[in-house]
């Protein structure tokens, strides 16, 4: 069963992350996390005819690694939670259809990994499932042409812009009282500070991250010092600074404990990614390639994983709307 | 807690639908369910600047009616599950942001209402929430121009095509052991029979409905005669016939107990809707305007609500992909 703490926080009993997998593309293989991914797919098409089909392959591969680590087959999974950035989440639906797993489609933009982890924990806690999986992905070539410019156009990018990660991450969750455990979580609310610059997603999402992290600290009566790492995804360099400012105005200094998946995945000095990485696959692949293994090795015992999502579309942007954002938080411990 | 029956079916304890609301547009007000909707919005723009903003208003209004019937305020709701057909589900994110409710975005296409009901039931069962809401919508003007043709083009529609419903439905769910109750549910798997005709969604989705209903009958050892109504949404006339054929080939005759929300919402003889209605708002508004009130009046005691969704996008269609589909089933009883 789940216990509610304070106004928003959920406390889980015995929800374990028993498997995880990550796959990334060529550019990500040239970054600092290169050696951590389970697999690098160097071909942007992943041997398929379209970039969209390629993104589906990334999801399939990440899920297969997660299943393998959990020593599970697809038929052992009672529910899968999946989503991505593409219109109607086609990377997930086409990518996962052959697994034949009862499927819950999500749309949380880049917060999808955290949303999937939390809903998996809720499902396991309720008895609805004995094993769940979650998976998400992004692909530079599918996202950029959908959200911004045709790939061939080669438009100049602003300093605040982020580079969509080509990658995927997946977890398998089960009832378990040892190893990696989801101990607490907070489902975010939609926050809109009226940012409307499509080239500054980090700035648009930082208020949602601040709102979620602050509410979690309030509910749990904890502070940054209680955690080994406060990870956000994917605010990038610009959004992370906005987050520090917003938290400081509430008297909380995050700097010493904070890192952001969008800042970690690329070498921002040499890889021309401006503010950093973004996309559902960014925080998912960083979590599943780097953070969870580092937790198993003892580098971190208790972390907050806060995935942020921008909930606009290119239509809403063209209509002059602001960018509403959301952040879901997962407290992961290694027991 | 939830008990699993057979391979896929979930059995709930004490999950009640304590509020519901429905809003529909002008064309729907000219159909046979006209008097059942809580509100008709005659203006396609709903007083807004864009059709997309109008669709958000439909969601807001439906949710407000559901909250009112449940005697709840927005701040009493611990989680809301919402999604729609638009790219990045913007009707939901823009429509619900001011309610400040912890938000789980879904993408299940026209199966979203059933997905939301099931995840609400799971969340309540786990203790993660004490009250949940779910809401979904569709709008003829937002969906047609996104999926098919510009509205002004006036292309001729095929006999198998369906008319996207302008409408929304919403439910509030709580732990409750009287009144309308979600007793059992089945989360569907993605089914793809290689239908690729965008003008025959009913045909593409019927195999998913058949798969889900058959698995539910197998798990629960029940048959159509055990239910007062087996409702699908939104197969329309063409898809319903496909469903009958698929079920008959398994030795099951659905005809006497079956109806489809897409067949119910319009007068197909006079309203030029061809195979019937479709869109997330179709089965959501039919359920919340007509079926749930009829259950409360004693017309039905025990129904199966099976919402179907087509998981393609216009990009996947242009790339020549087939249409994968999904159907989630909710067994609703009036105790």
């Amino acid at each position: 069963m789940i216990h509610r703490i304070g106004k928003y926080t959920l406390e889980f009993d015995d929800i374990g992350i028993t498997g995880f997998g990550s796959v990334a593309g060529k550019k990500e293989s040239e970054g600092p996390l290169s050696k951590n991914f389970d697999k690098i797919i160097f071909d942007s098409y992943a041997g398929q005819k379209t970039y969209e089909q390629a993104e589906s392959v990334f999801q399939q591969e990440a899920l297969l690694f997660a299943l393998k680590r959990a020593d599970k087959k697809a038929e052992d999974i009672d529910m899968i939670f999946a989503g991505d950035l593409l219109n109607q989440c086609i990377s997930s639906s086409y990518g996962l259809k052959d697994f034949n797993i009862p499927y819950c489609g999500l749309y949380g933009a880049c917060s999808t990994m955290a949303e999937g982890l939390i809903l998996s924990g809720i499902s396991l806690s309720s008895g609805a499932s004995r094993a769940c999986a979650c998976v998400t992905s992004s692909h530079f070539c599918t996202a950029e042409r959908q959200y911004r410019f045709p790939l061939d156009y080669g438009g100049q990018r602003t300093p605040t812009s982020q580079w969509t990660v080509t990658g995927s991450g997946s977890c398998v969750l089960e009832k378990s009282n040892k190893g990696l455990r989801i101990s607490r979580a907070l489902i975010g609310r939609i926050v809109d500070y009226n940012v409307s610059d499509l080239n500054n997603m980090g700035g648009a999402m930082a208020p949602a991250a601040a709102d979620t992290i602050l509410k979690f600290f309030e509910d749990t009566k904890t502070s940054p010092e209680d955690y080994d790492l406060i990870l956000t995804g994917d605010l990038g360099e610009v959004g992370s600074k906005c987050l520090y400012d917003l938290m400081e105005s509430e008297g909380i200094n995050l700097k010493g404990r904070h890192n952001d998946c969008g800042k970690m995945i690329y070498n921002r000095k040499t890889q021309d990614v401006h503010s950093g990485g973004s996309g559902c696959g960014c925080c998912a692949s960083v979590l599943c390639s780097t953070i969870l293994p580092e937790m198993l090795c003892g580098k971190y015992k208790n972390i907050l994983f806060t995935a942020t999502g921008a909930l606009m579309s290119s239509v809403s942007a063209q209509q002059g709307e602001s960018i509403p954002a959301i952040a879901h938080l997962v407290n992961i411990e290694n027991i």
Side-chain angles (χ1 to χ4, degrees), chain A:
Chain A
M1 287 295 288
I2 291 169
H3 312 277
R4 295 183 60 91
I5 312 174
K7 200 158 160 49
Y8 297 105
T9 301
L10 311 178
E11 187 172 57
F12 294 87
D13 283 341
D14 301 340
I15 301 298
I17 299 175
T18 56
F20 47 84
S22 63
V23 183
K26 178 170 174 291
K27 189 176 181 92
E28 293 67 29
S29 79
E30 295 159 357
L33 310 185
S34 177
K35 290 183 182 156
N36 300 349
F37 302 110
D38 289 317
K39 183 172 181 173
I40 306 289
I41 298 177
F42 289 93
D43 171 15
S44 297
Y45 283 101
Q48 307 297 306
K49 284 184 191 161
T50 69
Y51 294 130
E52 286 74 15
Q53 290 171 345
E55 191 177 330
S56 291
V57 169
F58 276 77
Q59 281 206 15
Q60 291 161 4
E61 295 277 348
L63 175 59
L64 288 171
F65 279 108
L67 289 170
K68 195 177 168 192
R69 273 208 185 82
D71 197 19
K72 287 271 178 288
K73 292 176 183 161
E75 56 261 39
D76 301 325
I77 305 297
D78 291 323
M79 286 173 80
I80 188 161
F81 295 92
D84 56 84
L85 286 175
L86 297 191
N87 299 343
Q88 288 72 55
C89 300
I90 54 170
S91 315
S92 306
S93 53
Y94 288 87
L96 302 176
K97 65 182 182 178
D98 292 335
F99 285 88
N100 268 322
I101 302 171
Y103 176 86
C104 284
L106 304 184
Y107 186 73
C110 307
S111 73
T112 302
M113 192 66 189
E115 186 182 348
L117 287 168
I118 298 171
L119 290 176
S120 296
I122 290 175
S123 171
L124 291 162
S125 299
S126 74
S129 55
R130 296 150 299 185
C132 282
C134 55
V135 59
T136 184
S137 62
S138 53
H139 191 305
F140 179 80
C141 299
T142 62
E144 290 297 317
R145 68 181 180 184
Q146 176 183 283
Y147 280 108
R148 295 180 190 89
F149 299 109
L151 290 171
D152 301 344
Y153 177 70
Q156 198 163 2
R157 304 169 67 246
T158 70
T160 57
S161 69
Q162 292 169 248
W163 189 279
T164 304
V165 165
T166 302
S168 175
S170 175
C171 286
V172 169
L173 295 97
E174 298 170 79
K175 284 261 185 184
S176 164
N177 56 12
K178 57 180 199 291
L180 296 172
R181 213 180 70 125
I182 293 187
S183 49
R184 294 182 287 198
L186 190 145
I187 296 165
R189 304 175 306 157
I190 302 172
V191 174
D192 190 343
Y193 269 33
N194 273 315
V195 176
S196 60
D197 179 1
L198 278 188
N199 293 307
N200 186 5
M201 287 296 172
M205 298 190 295
D211 185 75
T212 290
I213 295 170
L214 280 168
K215 291 208 161 27
F216 182 79
F217 286 158
E218 276 170 33
D219 283 349
T220 56
K221 300 185 177 35
T222 59
S223 64
E225 292 67 39
D226 294 312
Y227 304 95
D228 303 319
L229 174 67
I230 297 169
L231 189 67
T232 50
D234 313 301
L235 300 178
E237 185 69 27
V238 176
S240 294
K241 283 184 183 155
C242 297
L243 176 64
Y244 298 157
D245 289 347
L246 289 163
M247 296 297 284
E248 255 173 42
S249 71
E250 301 287 333
I252 293 174
N253 183 351
L254 273 191
K255 281 178 201 168
R257 303 281 168 166
H258 175 263
N259 208 343
D260 180 80
C261 299
K263 289 167 67 177
M264 296 168 70
I265 194 163
Y266 297 120
N267 183 326
R268 293 195 311 288
K269 287 187 184 150
T270 60
Q271 289 194 282
D272 192 32
V273 296
H274 300 256
S275 183
S278 68
C280 301
C282 180
C283 67
S285 68
V286 172
L287 180 76
C288 297
S289 68
T290 304
I291 306 299
L292 297 179
E294 285 177 350
M295 291 189 78
L296 285 176
C297 294
K299 183 171 176 185
Y300 311 115
K301 278 191 97 164
N302 189 6
I303 73 157
L304 302 183
F305 171 66
T306 309
T308 55
L311 300 176
M312 90 301 163
S313 76
S314 52
V315 168
S316 68
Q318 285 157 12
Q319 291 175 348
E321 301 269 15
S322 58
I323 303 172
I326 197 159
H328 302 299
L329 180 152
V330 189
N331 183 189
I332 307 173
E333 293 184 71
N334 184 11
I335 310 254

